[in-house]
Amino acid sequence: MGHGMQSRAGAPAAQSMLESLQHSGRTGSSGHGSTFDAMGTLRGSAGIKEKLSAASMRRRVLPLLLLGGLSMGCSCATCMGAQKADAMAQLVAPGQAALKKYDTPRNPVLDVAFARGMACGMVEYERAQSQKKRQLFNKMLKGLPASPTVVEVGMGSFPNALYLKQLPPQTDLVGVDPNDSMEQYARENANKADLLRDGTSLRITHGVAEALPLESGIADAVVCTLTLCSVQDPDKAVSEIKRVLKPGGKFLFLEHVKSETDPEFAEEQVKKTPSQVARADGCHLDRRTLQTIKAAGFGDVDAEYYEIRNFGYLNPTVAGIATA
C-alpha cells in the first residue's frame, strides 16, 4: 500500500486494500466500499490517455530537469506560494544504476486508480491515526529552524498537509513520489491546508526512496508515513533518508508493521503478504520497520509500537522521530 513508493506495477490496488481491511474477527466496517467501486470506473475514463502521456514524458526528462535544479511541479504562484523559499534545496539526478534497479517502469493506468484510492479511500484510517500524527508533527515543527527544508518521502496524496499548518515562513517543502498521478491530490491538499503562504514553496518530484533525487545533508526534517511498507529495499530507503538529513535533522515516521503481540496474527500477515504485494503497489504486511530504523545508525530513535482498531492487518503500527 503505502503512499506509492514501490515502483513495480501490481494488480488493482483497490481490491487488495479492501481485503486488508476485511480480516475476519479483527476488523470492523471500513466504510470504503463505495470508493473502491468508484475507482474501478477510472479504467475506462476519458482522461487516462492524457495522464499516461504526461507520466511517460516526466520520466524521460527527469534527469535533465533535476540536473538543472528545476522542480517537477508547477512553478506558478498558486503552487509555489506567493514567494519562493529563500534557500531551496538542490534537486539532483540519482545515478543510472540506482534508477535502473529501483525506479523500474510502472503501470500508469493502475497508478491513476491507486492515487484515487489513497486520496479518497483512507479517510477513516487517517482519522484513527490523527492523534498520534498531530503529536509527532507538533514535536517536529517545534524543533525546525527558520526557513527550513522539509522533505516528504512517499508524499502520495499528501494527507499530512493537515499537520503542517504551522510550518515556519519560507519553508522549502519537497515531496518525492514515484506515482506521478498523486501530484494533483497532493497540491489540492496543500492548498486546502493553506500551506503555500509566507514564502513557503512546494515542489513535487518523481523519485523513489532508495534513490532520492536530493543532495546529501540538505533536509532539516524528513517525513515518511505509510511508505516503507512498499519500498523494494527498506534498509536502502532508510539509509537514503539519513543521507539527506542535516546533522541533528529529524526523521518522522509512522508505518503499519508485523504484529508484535499476536504470533498467530503475525503469521497470517506473513502468509497474506505475497498477494498484498502483487495487488497493492508493493505493500508488505510483515515488515519490522522500527528494527530497520534502529539499525540505520541514527543518533537517537524515540518511537513506540501500538495497535489501532478496526483496520485488520494494518492495526499494528510503529511511529516516532529519529534524530540524525
Side-chain angles (χ1 to χ4, degrees), residues 5-6 209-210 227-235 237 282 284 287:
M5 288 308 297
Q6 172 62 284
E210 298 93 337
T227 294
L228 294 175
C229 64
S230 60
V231 299
Q232 294 185 45
D233 186 338
D235 291 324
H284 291 69
R287 286 190 167 163

Side-chain angles (χ1 to χ4, degrees), residues 119-152:
C120 305
M122 296 293 288
V123 175
E124 294 302 320
Y125 179 87
E126 288 292 334
R127 184 174 291 117
Q129 295 284 17
S130 62
Q131 182 176 357
K132 174 55 65 177
K133 280 194 173 186
R134 195 170 301 281
Q135 292 173 353
L136 290 173
F137 276 92
N138 286 346
K139 182 178 180 180
M140 182 195 78
L141 289 168
K142 289 178 181 178
L144 289 178
S147 304
T149 292
V150 177
V151 176
E152 177 150 5

Side-chain angles (χ1 to χ4, degrees), residues 162-227:
L162 178 66
Y163 307 103
L164 292 171
K165 293 182 178 181
Q166 301 304 315
L167 279 171
Q170 298 287 334
T171 294
D172 177 22
L173 187 57
V174 182
V176 181
D177 204 286
N179 184 341
D180 301 330
S181 295
M182 293 284 190
E183 181 170 348
Q184 62 175 325
Y185 300 108
R187 293 200 178 279
E188 287 173 5
N189 281 328
N191 289 327
K192 288 178 182 177
D194 194 26
L195 297 187
L196 306 183
R197 53 182 169 78
D198 299 328
T200 290
S201 65
L202 171 61
R203 294 178 289 166
I204 299 176
T205 185
H206 178 94
V208 292
E210 298 93 337
L212 292 175
L214 295 160
E215 291 183 334
S216 299
I218 54 85
D220 296 286
V222 173
V223 174
C224 187
T225 65
L226 291 190
T227 294

Side-chain angles (χ1 to χ4, degrees), residues 47-90:
I48 284 183
K49 287 186 178 180
E50 294 179 4
K51 291 182 181 293
L52 302 191
S53 176
S56 176
M57 181 63 70
R58 175 172 294 191
R59 189 164 289 106
R60 290 190 182 98
V61 303
L62 174 66
L64 293 177
L65 288 176
L66 291 181
L67 286 172
L70 299 179
S71 164
M72 291 303 301
C74 177
S75 59
C76 69
T78 299
C79 293
M80 295 291 290
Q83 301 174 0
K84 292 183 179 179
D86 284 341
M88 301 183 79
Q90 181 72 30

